[in-house]
Structure formats: structure tokens, C-alpha cells
Amino acid sequence: MSRILRVNMTDLSTKFEEVPEKYRLLGGRGLTSNIVFDEVPPDCHPLGPNNKVIFAPGLVTGTSAPSSGRLSVGGKSPLTGGIKEANAGGIASQKIARLGIKAIIVEGQAQDGKFYSLKVNKDGASLVSADDIVGKGMYEADEIIWRKHPNKPGVIGIGPAGEMRLANAGVSVNDSENGPGRYAGRGGLGAVMGSKGLKAIIVDDKGGPGVSVANPELFKQEAKKLADALLTHAVTSQALPNYGTAVLINILNEAGGLPTRNFSSGRFEGAAKVSGEMINELATKVRKGAGRVAHPCHPGCVIKCSNVFPKPDGSYHVSCVEYESDWAFGPNCGIDDLDAIAELVRISNDVGLDTIEAGVTVGVAMEAGIIPFGDGQAAINLLSEVGKGTPLGRIIGNGATFTGRAFGVTRIPAVKGQAMPAYDPRPIKGIGVTYATSTMGADHTSGYTIAPEILGVGGKADPFAVNKGELSRAFQATTAFVDASGYCLFIAFAILDIASGFEGMVNSVNAMYGTDWTGDDVVKIGQQIIKTERTFNERAGFTKEHDRVPEFMRLEKLPPHNVVFDVSDEELDAVYAF
Amino acid sequence: MIEVHLFGKLRRFGPHADKDRECVIQTSADATTSVGELLISLGIPLEEVSNVFLDGVYTRAAFEKPVAGVARIGLFPRDMCLLYA
């Protein structure tokens, strides 16, 4: 029987609670968002004593189902001021689930100004001093923790950015090689951990009870259907393992939707130099050494979209250079140097920053003239200021909107205070509808309409058409369910096109919980999650006027297609008409 | 003038196979020529092409379209099939 672990940082106590019936069929994002809704006052300060940070494996996490090891982290966001669910791979989520823990709720604040580590294992949970890792970057912190804990535990931690409570502080999760690069990055939940005095959660599942499955035979059959779909579909079996998500660099560049130099163009002349093809070439043919593609971010992933990017001498540099990070520090900053991009990703992983927000912030700083576009070394120097805690570093560490305000920039590509990802919404309208209306702020993963708009997956939608409310709504609802399931969102490529894969996804959950959910139920459950989040945001002060893209995107035409974002406010408002 | 931009394994049909720069064939064709006919004339096997962008717009059934008015053709191979048809 699963339990909830409640951690009180004020009196440094831990206790296990029975799972309330209303949470029994919730997991991942569905669970974190409902707990935030039930327990966090919407008007609380995100870094104050009344906010909470919640960690929840998905519904099928910890099982043998393919690509199902995702972790949801929830709370009120210091970046957006609204509800937040950030999602990560890595090894911790499966271990939490295999200890029979459905969620970890961290509340209160340490009273002595010190940092603590939460140790969780088969015997229980306890808070211990984090003096051994406080102030350290995540690479060193993870190394110290594994040195002290021979069972190679999962580590959920924050770098110096989180300790400084900066609004772009992410939550690191270690991978199978103990690298810290699997981030629940978005929305600043690392700062919430920091505000509570929690440096790390160390999860050792050795001897744990494992997960129970209501109908093991059916589960095995349905998980195989999903695995077969993932291993058949061209995206999940060829493109992603071969070239990683950065395969999208050349594709979005060709589509004219690759945001370049702080969203001032949709094409980057240096795209080829930072493309997935180039990463593959350097990692597997030119430099080799530690370089690797088809690298899984957690055990049991069959998609394996991660990579290990090597230094010029072949030694390990960072894992991983994926599309969003590559784009954020590359084309978005006018940088065409993969080694500089890799170093910027490494700094982010170490200091504890979300790479999308960090890259967009550097782009805004370039727009402000702090450093020139295209100067990789200057970008490295600038981002390094964050870990040092200098005044400039603290501005950068608070994200793109904060930095734009600090330097009087009007071209700030953000919604609800959160920076936009690597798809310009002007020539790809549907993703703009998702950016504008998502409960999370600008977030491509909330409703990845790119799939039909650009990639031809799950039907085909004209990227320039403005009637995208219904498309975005459908994707947002299904996504919310996938985020609750613990499956990686990238299974969507396969399950949107292969019916048996979709059945496998839904029925593997059914087999585990004894439910009989259908595809329609999936949409309804997803909609309910979004409604819960939306209600929290309304109570936190958000209105429909917050569901808008920044003004400059309606005024400035984006080359090469020379279009503005022209989806009507009525269309945006219709997304929540359910 | 029409630019044909080649990606992945299709680069071998262009002027070079360097991954760090654009691989572009500069060509021209009669306005009534179809995209497919143009590609065949350039020695590019259509069965190796997964998806086609015409002037930055993903286009289904592109091989049958005339090249009239098209300035840029982007071609991705089957093993980069994020462009799944």
C-alpha cells in the first residue's frame, strides 16, 4: 500500500500518512497539482512558509512499462506566481515509487537558516545536516552523496541558485551515471526547495516493497503494446535515438520557426553547426571518446533521446545537449559553437538553472547590450555570475522577465513571467495558443501542437491557421494525463499515430489500478487536472488577460515568413470553454 | 533560381557532406516541372525523402506540386523522420 511522506522543515520531522481515497487514482502532475490546490494558499508568497513543494512519481512509475520513470515536482511558482508542475527524468522517481511512496510533501521552513538533506529508504525517512554539500554545485554534490551512499541512490537536489532562492532555480535529478542534468527545471521550484532549507533528497530503494499491479498479465500485455509502438514509430525509434531532440534544429530552421537572436528572426544562419546532425557527428564519429547518442535518461527508457556531448579531446563534457538547451544558448543567442553551448548547459546543470529560462535570459541581456549576440565566451562569463551570487548574477538568475525589466528591454519572450521555448509562435500559431493559455506560463510541453503543425504527427494542421483553440485544448488535456501517468511525454509521437500504442498507454494504467478508463476518460481526467490548476491560478490573481503572448509578437513581423501572431483573444479565451 | 537544401543522408547528393554547414544545390527548372521531377533530375531518389518543405512550409504530396514560384526546397531523409507522413 502506497503512502504519502510528509516532511515538516520547521520542526524537522517526517511522518508517513495513508493515501486519501481522493488521491488513490492520481499520480505525477495530477497528484502534485491537486495537493497544491488542497494545501497551498493561492495568495501565499512562493518563498514563504505556506508554500509547499511536492514530489510525485507517475501512476505507472516504478514498473517495467517503457519510458515511464518521470517525476513531477509541484508547488506555487516563484517565476510565474501560479501553480507549477515541472517534470524530470533521472533515477529518483522510480526509486520513490518502489519504496511505496506516492508523494513527498515538503512544508514549513527550517528555522536555523541551515540546509538539510532528506534521506529516504526502506526503513523510513529522516532529515540530516547538509553541511557536506551546501554551497556546492550539483556535480560535486551528487559525487559526494554517491561516495557516502554505496547503493547509488537517486538524488533530487538544488545548486547554488536554489540556495539563493533565485526564480530560475530548477530541481536537479541524477541519472544512471550520477550526472545532475535531468531537471524539473521550469518555474523556479528549486528556489522553493531552497526557501525551505532542503538541499537534497537522497532516495535509496534497496529492499523496498516495490510497486503492486492489480492485473500483472494484462499489464505486461499492454505495456508491450506501447513498447512495440515506440520501437516502430519513426520518431521514437529512429530520429530521437539517432539525433536526439536537437534533430529539430534543422527542421524548425527550415520551417522558419527557430527563434533567433532573442526572437527577432525565425532562421539562424549557423543552425547546421549546432544541429542534431552535428552533435551526432561529433559524439560518434569525430571525437568519440565519452561521446554517446541513444542515451537513456532513466532505466527502462526505450526512446533514449539523450546524449553525452564530449569535449574536443573526447572527454566527458555534459549530458545532455538537447533541443531546448541547444537552441536557448545557441540560435537564440546567435551562438553557433556547440562547445560553448555545452559549457553553458554544464554551468546550468551545476548552478541549478532551467536552461530554457537561462538561455532566453542571456538573449534578453544581449538585446540589452550587456554582451554581444554570438559571443559564446561572454555568455559563459555572464552565466557564471549566477553561481557567484554577484548582483548581476542574481538579476540573470531571476529569469528573462526580471532581467528585461532591469535593463529596459521590451522584447521579452515570456508569458506569465516564464520564458518561451524553442518555437516562435508567429509562424506556428497553435503552439502560441498553448504558450498563452497554459496554466504553467509559456510551456511547449503543456500542449505540443508542433506535432501536427510541423511534424505531421497525429494529423496535420496548417501552422499558419489561427483557429487553434480546439487543437491546443485537446493537446493540453491529453498531455496533462500523460504527465500524470509517469510516461515520458515523447510517447505522444507514437501513440498519436499508432492506435495500439495509445491503448497500451491507457490500459497499462488500467491494469495497474483496476480501472476501466477509455480514451475519452483520458481527456476528461486531463481536463480536470487543468481545471484544478486554472482555478488555483484564478485565486492567485490570474485573469484571461494573462493568457496573451507579449505585445511585440503582435507588432513585429518575424522573418522569413514575415508574419505576426494574429490569433484572436476570443480564440485564446475559448481554450478553456470546457 | 531554386535552392535545394539537403539534410542527413541526403547530403550525399549535394556538393558536400559536411554537417557543419548548409548543403545546398542551386538549380533552375521550367515552371511546369514538378518537385518530384526536379529531384529526379538532380539524382535524388524520391524513396529516400521523407518530407519536404517548400519555401519553409511543410508540404504533403509535394512531389506532384509544380516548382513555379518556389525558391527554396528543404528535404529530410527517412532516418530523420521527425517529419512523419
Side-chain angles (χ1 to χ4, degrees), chain A residues 433-450:
Chain A
V433 175
T434 295
Y435 289 168
T437 61
S438 166
T439 51
M440 300 293 152
D443 178 2
H444 62 301
T445 66
S446 288
Y448 192 68
T449 62
I450 296 297

Side-chain angles (χ1 to χ4, degrees), chain A residues 106-187:
Chain A
V106 180
E107 57 194 23
Q109 290 182 317
Q111 298 297 294
D112 55 7
K114 294 185 176 177
F115 280 91
Y116 292 84
S117 293
L118 173 68
K119 290 189 176 184
V120 189
N121 57 37
K122 67 180 174 53
D123 298 320
S126 61
L127 286 160
V128 300
S129 169
D131 283 352
D132 55 342
I133 54 174
V134 74
K136 299 191 183 305
M138 281 312 303
Y139 285 92
E140 187 178 359
D142 280 348
E143 187 184 333
I144 290 170
I145 291 169
W146 266 30
R147 205 183 306 139
K148 291 184 175 179
H149 299 82
N151 288 337
K152 299 184 175 180
V155 180
I156 302 168
I158 56 170
E163 293 181 30
M164 288 186 273
R165 308 175 190 188
L166 304 180
N168 182 27
V171 176
S172 162
V173 182
N174 62 340
D175 59 25
S176 298
E177 294 87 37
N178 204 26
R182 314 299 150 183
Y183 264 80
R186 308 234 66 191

Side-chain angles (χ1 to χ4, degrees), chain A residues 198-274:
Chain A
L198 183 62
K199 172 72 174 176
I201 302 174
I202 302 166
V203 187
D204 178 358
D205 67 333
K206 188 169 185 182
V211 295
S212 58
V213 177
N215 187 336
E217 278 306 308
L218 180 64
F219 183 87
K220 189 176 173 184
Q221 169 193 307
E222 297 300 321
K224 184 175 185 308
K225 280 162 66 175
L226 174 58
D228 288 346
L230 296 173
L231 293 169
T232 301
H233 195 279
V235 170
T236 48
S237 71
Q238 295 177 45
L240 290 176
N242 286 336
Y243 300 105
T245 54
V247 68
L248 284 162
I249 291 279
N250 280 336
I251 294 169
L252 265 294
N253 196 52
E254 194 59 28
L258 184 72
T260 298
R261 294 186 186 83
N262 193 33
F263 288 72
S264 62
S265 174
R267 280 227 175 103
F268 180 47
E269 69 282 0
K273 292 183 179 177
V274 300

Side-chain angles (χ1 to χ4, degrees), chain A residues 57 69 110 123 128 167 196 198 261 281-282 314 318 471 518 569:
Chain A
D123 298 320
V128 300
K196 303 202 168 303
L198 183 62
R261 294 186 186 83
E281 183 85 356
L282 292 175
V318 73
L471 179 74
T518 64
D569 290 349

Side-chain angles (χ1 to χ4, degrees), chain A residues 213-375:
Chain A
V213 177
N215 187 336
E217 278 306 308
L218 180 64
F219 183 87
K220 189 176 173 184
Q221 169 193 307
E222 297 300 321
K224 184 175 185 308
K225 280 162 66 175
L226 174 58
D228 288 346
L230 296 173
L231 293 169
T232 301
H233 195 279
V235 170
T236 48
S237 71
Q238 295 177 45
L240 290 176
N242 286 336
Y243 300 105
T245 54
V247 68
L248 284 162
I249 291 279
N250 280 336
I251 294 169
L252 265 294
N253 196 52
E254 194 59 28
L258 184 72
T260 298
R261 294 186 186 83
N262 193 33
F263 288 72
S264 62
S265 174
R267 280 227 175 103
F268 180 47
E269 69 282 0
K273 292 183 179 177
V274 300
S275 65
E277 284 187 67
M278 197 61 199
I279 292 171
N280 181 297
E281 183 85 356
L282 292 175
T284 68
K285 298 183 181 71
V286 177
R287 297 177 179 178
K288 301 180 190 175
R292 193 177 163 193
V293 298
H295 178 250
C297 86
H298 67 265
C301 180
V302 301
I303 302 173
K304 303 178 185 174
C305 69
S306 175
N307 56 46
V308 176
F309 190 77
K311 292 180 177 176
D313 65 1
S315 62
Y316 180 101
H317 195 166
V318 73
S319 179
C320 65
V321 180
E322 50 81 45
Y323 176 57
E324 294 291 339
S325 308
D326 188 9
W327 156 80
F329 293 122
N332 184 59
C333 293
I335 294 172
D336 62 5
D337 177 356
L338 269 173
D339 291 309
I341 292 167
E343 178 60 11
L344 288 159
V345 175
R346 190 202 65 76
I347 292 168
S348 299
N349 289 350
D350 198 40
V351 174
L353 297 170
D354 171 41
T355 52
I356 295 175
E357 191 73 37
V360 173
T361 304
V362 173
V364 168
M366 288 173 161
E367 177 94 28
I370 307 301
I371 57 173
F373 279 113
D375 190 335

Side-chain angles (χ1 to χ4, degrees), chain A residues 370-390:
Chain A
I370 307 301
I371 57 173
F373 279 113
D375 190 335
Q377 188 56 53
I380 290 168
N381 295 342
L382 181 65
L383 198 64
S384 297
E385 293 293 310
V386 180
K388 297 173 188 170
T390 62

